[in-house]
Amino acid sequence: MTINGGISFWYATDTTAHQPPRAPLTTDATADVVIVGGGYTGLWTAYYLKRTAPDLRVTVLEQKFCGYGASGRNGGWLYNGIAGRDRYAELHGHEAALRLQHAMNDTVTEVIDTAAKEGIDADIHRGGVLEVARTPAQLTRLKAFHAAELSFGETDRELHDATATRNRIDIADAVGSSWTPHGARIHPLKLLRGLATACERLGVVIHESTPVTELAPRRAVTPYGTVRAPYVLRCTEGFTASLKGHRRTWLPMNSSMIVTTPLPPSVWAQLNWTDAPLLGDMAHAYMYAQRTADDRIAIGGRGVPYRFGSRTDNDGRTQQSTITALTELLHSFFPVLTGTEITHAWSGVLGVPRDWCATVTLDATTGLGWAGGYVGSGVATANLAARTLRDLVLGESTPLTALPWVHHRVRRWEPEPFRWLGVHALYAAYREADRHETTTHTPTTTPLARLANRISGRS
């Protein structure tokens, strides 16, 4: 039987995850900085603030428990991708976007080194990222993608033909791939919980089971009391829509995952998946996967992309149709795994801005700040965002505060039912475009997908 929900497979397999929750807020309080959200962005921000300015009083408010959201449910991709880089190149010039990309490259190493320094065992393995093409149209996009990455300074990226791709991972129908060393496999919840512990060692106060109902200049309001602080930072990513006044700020996009039972060495030898690179593809409705530390395959993608009214899921439970679709995708990539047991399935939400651009902002007048909109690339991006928020709060002008994503503003999403209709229509178009490209073997991206990209704001 597949365990469906229960937060995530990561939660089920982390022996430290089932400890009693931290105490909730019980009365009004004060701090120098109050951070709303106990995920990667919030905890990394708290960590770097206390590391840099130990005397600061930093409080984190989390509605459930640290790691309940995307930080405890994601695919474990610590890599150098960032949402909106090409848009920032259009707005601010290539050199500005190049600096942003270099900062993301460095962030992968920053997370790995900090985890080691803090004694966090997060099953980290730096095998890079392999993006694979399985149709002629995907190969055309892959080559364009590879060339673009080279133009943004990734001189250590490699382009592989079909044979070289199979030498990295033996994927059915693979016709080419692009590999970058700027990526690592992690157990996302182990990283998150280790980070929370490191924050508490530094003196950060973390209140769990404390939902924030309203944010206002210099205060965060909860059912149990109000925390007042000169700086109030919103670090809620896919759960931002639950805050008063923010229902249309970022769209909570659903992403789902399944994980196999541990696979024996003989199967891994057949798959030739030895150095454990992260695995993605160039489909429009793309997939992402990793070889876990205990020799499973965890694979994810879009199921039902969005729930009406920006609602979020109930503890990670996902639809049976999504589990079936992901299982079929797994078998398509690796036919030898047909019949392999799927032990866990779950879903989570990620934050999507209307222009698909991640941002970091602090309004010095009101003290309100925020970071997020990572569009699925948040494991590393949250760390860069946190260090940038730290510098903004401390009033320092640094190379991070000069990056082009700082203070970027974006319009709100459309009201319902247009939001629901639009998102579901777009992903139906992407799935149809993938089907068309697979069956016709056209070498170019279908017009339907190009139109969907323009409407969605992805290009």
Side-chain angles (χ1 to χ4, degrees), residues 12 30 43 63 68 87 148 160 173 187 195 216 221 243 261 283 329 452:
T30 61
L43 292 178
Q63 67 167 339
Y68 177 81
R87 176 64 174 156
H160 299 312
D173 302 322
H187 186 301
L195 177 59
V221 182
L243 291 169
T261 189
L329 182 65

Side-chain angles (χ1 to χ4, degrees), residues 74 113 244 264 357:
N74 63 78
D113 290 349
K244 182 179 179 181
C357 291

Side-chain angles (χ1 to χ4, degrees), residues 122-191:
D123 297 339
I124 297 173
H125 176 81
R126 191 164 190 167
V129 183
L130 188 72
E131 305 274 5
V132 64
R134 301 177 67 215
T135 69
Q138 287 185 24
L139 183 60
T140 299
R141 290 195 295 274
L142 176 83
K143 291 178 178 178
F145 165 76
H146 182 85
E149 298 310 294
L150 293 180
S151 75
F152 281 101
E154 268 201 72
T155 56
D156 44 6
R157 179 176 282 273
E158 301 174 5
L159 184 65
H160 299 312
D161 62 13
T163 299
T165 299
R166 288 193 296 271
N167 288 335
R168 282 200 177 269
I169 305 178
D170 193 357
I171 299 162
D173 302 322
V175 293
S177 62
S178 178
W179 177 83
T180 176
H182 300 290
R185 183 270 322 276
I186 68 164
H187 186 301
L189 190 61
K190 287 183 179 179
L191 176 62

Side-chain angles (χ1 to χ4, degrees), residues 186-347:
I186 68 164
H187 186 301
L189 190 61
K190 287 183 179 179
L191 176 62
L192 186 285
R193 295 188 70 83
L195 177 59
T197 299
C199 285
E200 289 180 314
R201 282 199 302 265
L202 293 171
V204 175
V205 175
I206 302 175
H207 291 296
E208 296 181 326
S209 303
T210 305
V212 172
T213 57
E214 183 181 355
L215 295 176
R218 297 177 177 82
R219 69 182 186 275
V221 182
T222 84
Y224 317 119
T226 296
V227 181
R228 300 183 183 278
Y231 296 98
V232 179
L233 307 181
R234 189 188 81 222
C235 302
T236 46
E237 186 59 357
F239 290 88
T240 298
S242 64
L243 291 169
K244 182 179 179 181
H246 289 283
R247 185 162 297 276
R248 292 166 54 197
T249 299
W250 290 333
L251 185 139
M253 183 76 74
N254 288 288
S255 196
S256 302
M257 296 196 73
I258 59 171
V259 66
T260 69
T261 189
L263 304 176
S266 59
V267 172
W268 288 110
Q270 286 180 276
L271 300 180
N272 201 32
W273 196 342
T274 55
D275 191 38
L278 301 166
L279 174 63
D281 75 348
M282 300 304 294
H284 300 293
Y286 53 85
M287 57 78 72
Y288 51 95
Q290 68 149 282
R291 175 178 176 173
T292 68
D294 61 347
D295 290 329
R296 306 168 187 256
I297 293 178
I299 182 171
R302 299 291 181 264
V304 175
Y306 171 72
R307 291 179 171 87
F308 189 88
S310 293
R311 294 195 303 271
T312 54
D313 63 84
N314 181 23
D315 290 347
R317 187 169 181 84
T318 194
Q319 298 82 2
Q320 181 57 49
S321 60
T322 299
I323 299 173
T324 300
L326 288 174
T327 303
E328 291 173 350
L329 182 65
L330 174 71
H331 297 163
S332 172
F333 269 72
F334 306 111
V336 70
L337 298 182
T338 301
T340 299
E341 180 186 1
I342 303 301
T343 63
H344 295 76
W346 69 99
S347 292

Side-chain angles (χ1 to χ4, degrees), residues 51-71:
R51 271 285 179 201
T52 306
D55 292 337
L56 279 181
R57 297 172 301 151
V58 179
T59 296
V60 175
L61 303 177
E62 164 56 40
Q63 67 167 339
K64 295 273 191 174
F65 54 82
C66 294
Y68 177 81
S71 298

Side-chain angles (χ1 to χ4, degrees), residues 398-443:
T398 69
L400 296 185
T401 62
L403 292 174
W405 68 331
V406 176
H407 300 313
H408 176 76
R409 296 299 181 102
V410 60
R411 68 184 176 92
R412 290 153 62 85
W413 281 89
E414 290 78 4
E416 298 291 20
F418 304 107
R419 190 160 71 245
W420 186 91
L421 291 169
V423 173
H424 280 262
L426 286 169
Y427 273 88
Y430 286 137
R431 286 190 290 269
E432 174 58 24
D434 285 329
R435 187 202 62 78
H436 178 79
E437 292 175 2
T438 299
T439 56
T440 64
H441 302 287
T442 175

